[in-house]
Short mmCIF file of all heavy atoms in Angstrom, two decimals:
data_model
loop_
_atom_site.label_atom_id
_atom_site.label_comp_id
_atom_site.label_asym_id
_atom_site.label_seq_id
_atom_site.Cartn_x
_atom_site.Cartn_y
_atom_site.Cartn_z
N ILE A 74 -5.28 5.72 8.88
CA ILE A 74 -5.20 6.48 10.12
C ILE A 74 -6.13 7.67 9.98
O ILE A 74 -5.88 8.58 9.17
CB ILE A 74 -3.75 6.96 10.41
CG1 ILE A 74 -2.78 5.77 10.50
CG2 ILE A 74 -3.71 7.80 11.69
CD1 ILE A 74 -2.98 4.83 11.67
N GLU A 75 -7.23 7.63 10.74
CA GLU A 75 -8.28 8.63 10.57
C GLU A 75 -8.61 8.79 9.09
O GLU A 75 -8.61 9.88 8.55
CB GLU A 75 -7.92 9.93 11.29
CG GLU A 75 -8.00 9.70 12.79
CD GLU A 75 -7.47 10.82 13.65
OE1 GLU A 75 -6.93 11.80 13.10
OE2 GLU A 75 -7.61 10.71 14.89
N TRP A 76 -8.85 7.65 8.48
CA TRP A 76 -9.23 7.42 7.08
C TRP A 76 -8.31 8.06 6.05
O TRP A 76 -8.70 8.30 4.91
CB TRP A 76 -10.72 7.72 6.81
CG TRP A 76 -11.24 9.06 7.25
CD1 TRP A 76 -11.30 10.18 6.50
CD2 TRP A 76 -11.79 9.40 8.53
NE1 TRP A 76 -11.83 11.21 7.23
CE2 TRP A 76 -12.15 10.75 8.49
CE3 TRP A 76 -12.03 8.67 9.72
CZ2 TRP A 76 -12.72 11.40 9.57
CZ3 TRP A 76 -12.59 9.33 10.81
CH2 TRP A 76 -12.92 10.67 10.72
N GLN A 77 -7.08 8.26 6.45
CA GLN A 77 -6.07 8.77 5.51
C GLN A 77 -4.84 7.88 5.58
O GLN A 77 -4.67 7.14 6.56
CB GLN A 77 -5.70 10.21 5.88
CG GLN A 77 -6.79 11.23 5.60
CD GLN A 77 -7.19 11.30 4.14
OE1 GLN A 77 -6.34 11.29 3.25
NE2 GLN A 77 -8.48 11.30 3.87
N PRO A 78 -3.92 7.99 4.60
CA PRO A 78 -2.66 7.27 4.75
C PRO A 78 -1.89 7.80 5.95
O PRO A 78 -2.04 8.97 6.32
CB PRO A 78 -1.90 7.61 3.46
CG PRO A 78 -2.90 8.18 2.52
CD PRO A 78 -4.01 8.75 3.35
N ALA A 79 -1.08 6.93 6.56
CA ALA A 79 -0.25 7.36 7.68
C ALA A 79 0.70 8.48 7.22
O ALA A 79 1.10 8.52 6.05
CB ALA A 79 0.56 6.17 8.20
N LYS A 80 1.07 9.34 8.16
CA LYS A 80 1.85 10.54 7.79
C LYS A 80 3.14 10.21 7.03
O LYS A 80 3.44 10.89 6.03
CB LYS A 80 2.13 11.37 9.05
CG LYS A 80 2.71 12.73 8.73
CD LYS A 80 2.80 13.62 9.95
CE LYS A 80 3.31 15.01 9.59
NZ LYS A 80 4.61 15.02 8.93
N PRO A 81 3.93 9.21 7.44
CA PRO A 81 5.17 8.95 6.69
C PRO A 81 4.91 8.60 5.22
O PRO A 81 5.69 8.98 4.35
CB PRO A 81 5.79 7.76 7.44
CG PRO A 81 5.22 7.83 8.82
CD PRO A 81 3.82 8.34 8.64
N VAL A 82 3.80 7.91 4.96
CA VAL A 82 3.44 7.57 3.58
C VAL A 82 2.97 8.83 2.84
O VAL A 82 3.38 9.11 1.72
CB VAL A 82 2.36 6.47 3.55
CG1 VAL A 82 1.83 6.26 2.14
CG2 VAL A 82 2.92 5.16 4.12
N ALA A 83 2.10 9.59 3.50
CA ALA A 83 1.58 10.82 2.88
C ALA A 83 2.72 11.78 2.57
O ALA A 83 2.78 12.38 1.48
CB ALA A 83 0.56 11.48 3.80
N ASP A 84 3.65 11.92 3.51
CA ASP A 84 4.78 12.84 3.30
C ASP A 84 5.64 12.39 2.12
O ASP A 84 6.08 13.21 1.30
CB ASP A 84 5.66 12.93 4.56
CG ASP A 84 4.96 13.71 5.68
OD1 ASP A 84 3.92 14.33 5.42
OD2 ASP A 84 5.48 13.69 6.82
N LEU A 85 5.90 11.09 2.05
CA LEU A 85 6.72 10.56 0.95
C LEU A 85 6.04 10.83 -0.40
O LEU A 85 6.67 11.28 -1.36
CB LEU A 85 6.94 9.05 1.13
CG LEU A 85 7.72 8.39 0.00
CD1 LEU A 85 9.19 8.79 0.04
CD2 LEU A 85 7.59 6.87 0.05
#
Side-chain angles (χ1 to χ4, degrees):
I74 301 294
E75 290 171 355
W76 52 93
Q77 289 300 317
K80 190 172 184 302
V82 171
D84 288 350
L85 177 72

